[in-house]
Amino acid sequence: MTGDAMGSGRRVVPFTDGWTVDSTGQPSRAVDLPHDAMLAEPRSATAPSGSHGAYFPGGRYRYRKVWQAPADVAAQRLSLRFEGVAGRTRVRVNDVDAATWDSTYREVEVPLGGLVRAGAENVIEVDVDNSAQPNSRWYTGSGIYRMVWLEAVPAIHVDRHGITLTTHRSGSDATVRVGVPVLGDSEDGDVVSAALFDAGVTVARATGSVAHGVAHLELVVPQATFWSAERPHLYELALRLARHGRELDAVTLRTGLRAIEIGPEFGLRVNDETVLLRGACVHHDNGVLGAATFRAAEFRRARLLKDAGYNAVRSAHNPLSRDFLDACDEIGLYVVDELTDVWFRPKTAFDGADRFAETWRADARSMVRKDRLHPSVIMYSIGNENAETSTADGVAVARDLRAFVHDLDADRAVTAGVNFMLNAMAARTGMNADTTPPKADGAQNRPSWISSTMINAIANRLGRLTQLLSRLPGADRATRDVMAELDVAGYNYAWSRYEADGGRYPTRVILGTESLFGELPEIWSRVERLPQVIGDFAWTGWDYLGETGIGTWEYDAGRRSSLLAKPYPALVAGSGAFDITGVPGAPLALQRAVWGLASVPAIMVRPVDLTGAKVQRTSWRSSDAVASWSWSGCEGRVAEIEVYSADESVELLLNGRRVGRRPAGPRAGFVARFRVPYEPGELVAVGYRDGRETGRSSLRSAGAVSLRLRSEAAAIEADGDDLAFVWLELADEHGEVEMCATDTVSLTVTGSARLAGFGSAAPATEESFADAEHTTYRGRALAILRAGRGTGETEIEATGAHFGSDRLLVQVIEPHQIRALG
């Protein structure tokens, strides 16, 4: 919306194009939002973010947009809604301060009343200071990394972000109670009418009068179709505000109807059906796009996670984007949305612990107002591994947070991820004796040595011994008070307590909020057996930037490091079931086998080109094996093969010859292991139960390899934000990728789309995702194209130094609908 008439009705439009940004030492450049300003910065071993922030420097950025306001702007109440800005933020409109805040994950509405000049140019400036590093235990990105919307609403209007909805199930029918707040000079005689549509057909109607600024309506839906992750059915709810028959405002939204019960006797029920949460923890970055949040990327992640067998995600450790929640609604994923990683004790020098007391209410309100119309959100988490919870002050914070969240949304349970060993050590050493909020000065705000990071390093060294330590009486004493304040007790890395705590605390409902892949066989047997344990979330479902190398297996790295984090140029955590580009690995194969979702054995092979090299393992990755039998130049080397299966046994064949038969299933930890000299050809795994074959799978070696382009979609929409994910693969004519082939590839993109990010899943690199040249890793790289506003063909040309070149056309088509703020 640049200069068009706005009229008196509601309009919500993206405010994302036509911006410029400049930073210290960098010239002003044109950008479209969302934009991660940190991604193009030069990394270095001395960068202040260190391993936490993937060795990015951080900085200060000045965004600027000149906006031609319509002549009739005075007829509307205008505001800008920022979904997320990473850094201390100040918004100025025509040189007048409009808003300031300092919370990376909080949505902020900036009213523009009295600041905008009608029918004239207006200058919007957003100053973002993210120079204080490290600001988190992971990569946050910088700048305006999520969507910005221009909202124009009538003087008297429905508060779209304040609507509440609860569903009560009675057999096949549903009663839906809707609370509709009205802002402006509403009168008690004003009326709100509601209509619920299912595929365009009206299934329920209701009307309510506004009283004291809110209307309460009740819709009865016969033979309702209830939402669940297994059947993600959505309705459309249309609300109309009127006075004496004249429409004042109208709002339309999508939502789902579902009923949730949680109890120790039966666990979690969704629509009267018991559900076990097969969960993935996910961070907020999108790999080679950095922190920039694009709807297409969020939907892609959600779709791949769902297709892999997950039915739930935990947003570790900050609220999910609106786009990810929309994806979970449509695709079908349960969500535990998490507020924060930090309370009043810092984990890094500039993580906001000094501001927690002043900001948590605004942050929690923002999260709940965003979430409560999403049927996918079934639970809120108010924190993660906050050692303060071992103290009376920390327990009081948990009590206040839970009460605050329930005041806003009584329909959803509250949990928190509690680390038993961390709390026990904190209580024993008295680290929390001084509960005075720390100061903002980084020199006086040093994190305690007892932190999540240190506990992770200790746990990695101790391995299974951490489960023994978590079972000690001191761990129970340091956690029982905070657990009593939660609706659902979140256990981080303490699954060995499940049975004993079920007896000790019979009213406690337990959720495994964080766990290691390799321990899933033992964890899941308890989840299935104990009704009060409702699921498990693995760290992590999708790899992420920062916290470098906690899940990366290193070869010939010299003396073992005393810490988990890997030095520069390490870039990614390395702990995902999917890597940052979306390629799954052995941890996912293990999960699918344990969950009983794999119909055939899954063959994984450890890097044959590294056979014999000394390896430094990490507990945060169960195996570094990949699904490939293409290891050119490794003939004769011993290949270590892992076959994941719930079958009783697995037989392995190489080029038609029997290699052997090994136990699988629960008694073997769901994995059969083989060793055989590598030779090209076909590797086949056959599963057996009761002496009968249940299924087979195979891997084949690549033939003659060349550089090949492959797009995940043939067309993208010309809405300025849609994305095409284009694979660059060193593969043969059948698409088999060669693991030992490497090439440095340059890209040229012509047409209405442009390059948004280009990179690989390499655990360590000095190359930038913002450049048009990158080196493949294990035969692959990923280019992401961002659509413009024009339609037509976009051509991407890739030229390699060793394996030739290839071209690909991507169609950019008309948008099928105008996107609006969810």
Side-chain angles (χ1 to χ4, degrees):
M1 180 163 54
T2 54
D4 299 331
M6 300 174 68
S8 59
R10 170 184 294 263
R11 288 196 68 188
V12 183
V13 294
F15 202 67
T16 54
D17 56 0
W19 291 82
T20 62
V21 64
D22 60 66
S23 55
T24 304
Q26 297 290 328
S28 178
R29 56 201 182 277
V31 297
D32 288 343
L33 308 180
H35 174 248
D36 181 0
M38 184 179 280
L39 195 66
E41 293 175 340
R43 301 166 61 232
S44 71
T46 58
S49 71
S51 62
H52 296 295
Y55 304 99
F56 281 88
R60 186 169 183 172
Y61 319 92
R62 183 171 177 262
Y63 291 84
R64 187 175 188 271
K65 176 180 172 72
V66 178
W67 172 54
Q68 179 72 32
D72 59 349
V73 71
Q76 296 285 303
R77 289 191 176 187
L78 293 180
S79 62
L80 291 177
R81 179 170 295 275
F82 293 83
E83 289 192 15
V85 185
R88 295 177 183 265
T89 305
R90 182 179 70 166
V91 178
R92 290 173 62 82
V93 180
N94 297 324
D95 294 325
V96 178
D97 284 346
T100 60
W101 69 92
D102 190 357
S103 185
T104 294
Y105 304 103
R106 185 197 308 164
E107 282 197 356
V108 175
E109 182 178 354
V110 180
L112 299 180
L115 301 177
V116 172
R117 295 189 289 262
E121 287 189 344
N122 294 265
V123 178
I124 314 293
E125 296 173 294
V126 183
D127 184 273
V128 185
D129 187 353
N130 202 25
S131 57
Q133 296 288 334
N135 68 341
S136 177
R137 293 191 298 124
W138 58 88
Y139 175 89
T140 62
S142 290
I144 310 175
Y145 73 98
R146 284 183 178 170
M147 286 290 293
V148 181
W149 301 88
L150 178 64
E151 299 189 50
V153 298
I156 305 172
H157 61 277
V158 171
D159 177 10
R160 164 66 180 81
H161 307 284
I163 297 169
T164 61
L165 183 149
T166 57
T167 302
H168 299 272
R169 178 185 171 105
S170 177
S172 60
D173 300 337
T175 300
V176 183
R177 297 190 175 98
V178 185
V180 185
V182 177
L183 300 180
D185 296 326
S186 64
E187 299 177 359
D188 285 352
D190 294 342
V191 173
V192 174
S193 58
L196 193 68
F197 298 95
D198 188 357
V201 178
T202 305
V203 295
R205 290 187 181 274
T207 301
S209 297
V210 177
H212 307 292
V214 62
H216 295 284
L217 300 88
E218 185 171 284
L219 299 99
V220 177
V221 187
Q223 298 297 311
T225 304
F226 291 92
W227 185 98
S228 68
E230 295 70 35
R231 294 174 293 277
H233 184 83
L234 295 175
Y235 287 90
E236 188 175 88
L237 177 64
L239 301 171
R240 179 177 178 267
L241 171 65
R243 176 177 295 174
H244 307 307
R246 181 174 64 88
E247 181 177 296
L248 300 177
D249 190 20
V251 172
T252 300
L253 55 92
R254 298 179 76 200
T255 190
L257 312 181
R258 51 110 180 100
I260 291 178
E261 296 176 279
I262 298 176
E265 304 87 359
F266 53 80
L268 169 65
R269 286 177 182 164
V270 180
N271 306 323
D272 295 331
E273 295 183 10
T274 299
V275 170
L276 300 179
L277 299 177
R278 304 187 301 271
C281 295
V282 294
H283 266 311
H284 77 283
D285 75 74
N286 266 300
V288 303
L289 294 169
T293 302
F294 291 91
R295 189 173 182 84
E298 301 286 67
F299 268 74
R300 177 179 182 259
R301 277 203 296 166
R303 189 175 297 106
L304 287 173
L305 289 167
K306 178 66 180 287
D307 290 346
Y310 295 102
N311 69 355
V313 295
R314 170 185 175 227
S315 66
H317 304 291
N318 44 261
L320 285 173
S321 70
R322 286 182 178 270
D323 291 326
F324 206 115
L325 292 178
D326 284 348
C328 292
D329 287 347
E330 293 185 23
I331 294 168
L333 286 167
Y334 300 111
V335 173
V336 178
D337 211 11
E338 192 157 88
L339 177 64
T340 181
D341 186 48
V342 177
W343 283 7
F344 57 77
R345 279 291 161 193
K347 297 181 179 181
T348 62
F350 301 100
D351 58 14
D354 57 303
R355 305 184 305 277
F356 175 74
E358 295 89 42
T359 61
W360 72 256
R361 289 171 181 82
D363 290 343
R365 183 180 294 109
S366 170
M367 178 181 72
V368 175
R369 281 169 63 89
K370 171 178 61 66
D371 289 9
R372 59 190 172 191
L373 294 181
H374 288 279
S376 58
V377 180
I378 61 170
M379 202 179 306
Y380 299 113
S381 172
I382 56 176
N384 172 70
E385 296 189 346
N386 308 106
E388 303 96 310
T389 56
S390 64
T391 71
D393 283 357
V395 172
V397 168
R399 183 182 309 119
D400 290 346
L401 266 166
R402 176 180 175 272
F404 185 84
V405 169
H406 276 318
D407 282 345
L408 295 170
D409 185 355
D411 196 39
R412 291 173 172 88
V414 170
T415 187
V418 178
N419 189 304
F420 283 73
M421 190 166 70
L422 172 63
N423 275 33
M425 292 183 67
R428 185 175 181 83
T429 60
M431 68 158 280
N432 289 310
D434 175 17
T435 57
T436 303
K439 298 180 179 180
D441 181 359
Q444 302 178 50
N445 196 29
R446 296 188 182 94
S448 168
W449 71 272
I450 300 178
S451 64
S452 296
T453 299
M454 182 54 67
I455 288 294
N456 286 346
I458 293 172
N460 188 51
R461 285 297 189 89
L462 296 180
R464 296 295 292 272
L465 186 58
T466 60
Q467 292 301 320
L468 175 62
L469 297 176
S470 295
R471 292 204 306 269
L472 295 176
D476 180 51
R477 289 193 297 270
T479 56
R480 63 191 177 194
D481 291 342
V482 71
M483 292 302 192
E485 300 296 337
L486 303 172
D487 302 315
V488 174
Y491 282 46
N492 281 18
Y493 309 105
W495 53 267
S496 60
R497 299 186 58 91
Y498 289 173
E499 286 171 294
D501 283 359
R504 188 179 293 116
Y505 303 103
T507 62
R508 181 180 290 183
V509 178
I510 297 171
L511 174 62
T513 37
E514 213 167 293
S515 69
L516 300 174
F517 289 109
E519 297 176 350
L520 185 64
E522 290 166 290
I523 294 170
W524 200 250
S525 66
R526 289 163 170 80
V527 173
E528 291 182 314
R529 189 172 72 254
L530 305 173
Q532 69 268 42
V533 183
I534 63 175
D536 176 77
F537 286 84
W539 191 265
T540 56
W542 200 281
D543 202 10
Y544 55 98
L545 306 179
E547 207 167 18
T548 58
I550 69 164
T552 302
W553 289 24
E554 282 193 309
Y555 289 82
D556 287 337
R559 187 175 65 86
R560 183 182 177 126
S561 169
S562 60
L563 297 173
L564 265 177
K566 306 298 190 297
Y568 179 83
L571 176 63
V572 301
S575 59
F578 286 89
D579 68 27
I580 62 168
T581 65
V583 175
L588 179 58
L590 173 62
Q591 287 181 299
R592 288 180 55 79
V594 173
W595 291 333
L597 301 179
S599 58
V600 297
I603 309 171
M604 296 282 164
V605 182
R606 292 196 56 215
V608 184
D609 57 336
L610 297 174
T611 296
K614 186 176 181 180
V615 62
Q616 179 179 320
R617 291 174 169 84
T618 164
S619 296
W620 269 263
R621 188 164 198 84
S622 56
S623 171
D624 65 346
V626 295
S628 177
W629 192 242
S630 293
W631 303 90
S632 178
C634 295
E635 289 76 5
R637 287 194 176 199
V638 173
E640 298 182 27
I641 301 164
E642 301 168 354
V643 183
Y644 294 89
S645 175
D647 292 318
E648 292 174 354
S649 64
V650 170
E651 184 179 38
L652 190 70
L653 307 172
L654 175 57
N655 292 327
R657 305 189 307 274
R658 187 175 187 272
V659 173
R661 187 162 168 171
R662 302 279 188 275
R667 62 173 177 159
F670 294 89
V671 57
R673 304 180 190 275
F674 303 85
R675 291 169 60 90
V676 64
Y678 175 75
E679 64 179 63
E682 183 180 38
L683 196 63
V684 176
V686 185
Y688 291 93
R689 292 185 188 181
D690 299 325
R692 296 182 179 180
E693 179 179 331
T694 59
R696 60 177 59 202
S697 61
S698 64
L699 296 175
R700 294 176 178 82
S701 303
V705 169
S706 61
L707 176 60
R708 298 176 183 272
L709 295 176
R710 175 175 59 86
S711 178
E712 292 185 357
I716 55 176
E717 297 183 7
D719 60 3
D721 293 316
D722 201 7
L723 303 175
F725 295 84
V726 180
W727 285 101
L728 292 82
E729 297 172 329
L730 305 179
D732 66 11
E733 60 180 342
H734 302 293
E736 298 289 349
V737 176
E738 173 54 56
M739 294 290 104
C740 294
T742 302
D743 206 350
T744 300
V745 183
S746 298
L747 296 183
T748 302
V749 179
T750 55
S752 64
R754 61 194 184 279
L755 189 64
F758 180 32
S760 75
T765 179
E766 294 188 279
E767 296 177 315
S768 171
F769 295 150
D771 292 339
E773 181 177 283
H774 211 89
T775 302
T776 60
Y777 175 72
R778 290 301 185 197
R780 292 183 174 93
L782 180 66
I784 302 177
L785 306 184
R786 180 178 183 177
R789 302 287 180 181
T791 60
E793 291 183 339
T794 289
E795 181 182 80
I796 177 171
E797 181 177 7
T799 303
H802 306 292
F803 289 93
S805 62
D806 197 12
R807 295 181 182 181
L808 181 71
L809 293 178
V810 176
Q811 300 296 324
V812 184
I813 61 176
E814 290 284 351
H816 73 282
Q817 65 181 17
I818 302 299
R819 182 184 168 199
L821 175 63

